Amino acid sequence: MPLSSFDQALAGIFPCDIKNLKYIMDKLPIGIMIVDRKGVVVYYNKAHAQLDGYEPEEIIGQIEMDIYEPDLCPDLNTICQNRGKPLTGFISKYKTKRGKEVDAAFWVYPTFTEGQVTGSI
């Protein structure tokens, strides 16, 4: 069976057994978002959706900076990707474009394919 465009995008930045990975990440009680190198959200779990007040279907395929206001929290995904190193234990507030403010602790890790940064989780 061919992969959906979501599965292809996710596999492109985080190659593995996609079905099992999505199942595990959807069960975790922490918010998880994966973005590609262009800032496009390729995965957004249910726990993250509850924090932000969105549905995953609304967010997947959107550009991260179109979802969040940049004034409270720096774009940690871009910083992480540019450095090629994790950012861990960063505590900040962020605000969605719908105006919801969330206090959060962030752990952001770059993803790699063949030694090249392909996105972040």
Side-chain angles (χ1 to χ4, degrees):
M1 173 191 301
L3 294 175
S4 70
S5 59
F6 161 71
D7 290 345
Q8 288 174 353
L10 186 56
I13 66 163
F14 200 75
C16 65
D17 183 342
I18 299 303
K19 184 177 177 181
N20 288 333
L21 176 64
K22 287 193 310 187
Y23 176 81
I24 292 166
M25 291 191 304
D26 275 337
K27 300 300 179 199
L28 294 173
I30 59 171
I32 299 173
M33 179 171 60
I34 301 174
V35 299
D36 69 12
R37 192 74 169 128
K38 295 176 184 173
V40 176
V41 178
V42 297
Y43 178 79
Y44 183 85
N45 76 345
K46 294 172 186 174
H48 206 317
Q50 288 178 333
L51 288 171
D52 290 352
Y54 292 111
E55 292 297 325
E57 298 79 25
E58 294 177 84
I59 301 304
I60 293 170
Q62 299 296 315
I63 296 173
E64 178 189 17
M65 295 315 297
D66 291 342
I67 302 163
Y68 302 103
E69 295 288 350
D71 53 342
L72 292 180
C73 184
D75 181 359
L76 299 176
N77 283 306
T78 298
I79 294 168
C80 173
Q81 290 175 26
N82 288 341
R83 289 178 48 191
K85 296 180 182 176
L87 297 171
T88 59
F90 185 87
I91 297 175
S92 182
K93 265 187 186 184
Y94 68 89
K95 186 175 181 180
T96 70
K97 292 284 184 166
R98 290 184 178 165
K100 184 171 183 182
E101 286 189 17
V102 179
D103 291 307
F106 298 88
W107 280 260
V108 186
Y109 296 89
T111 58
F112 296 91
T113 301
E114 298 178 6
Q116 298 295 313
V117 174
T118 54
S120 55
I121 182 171

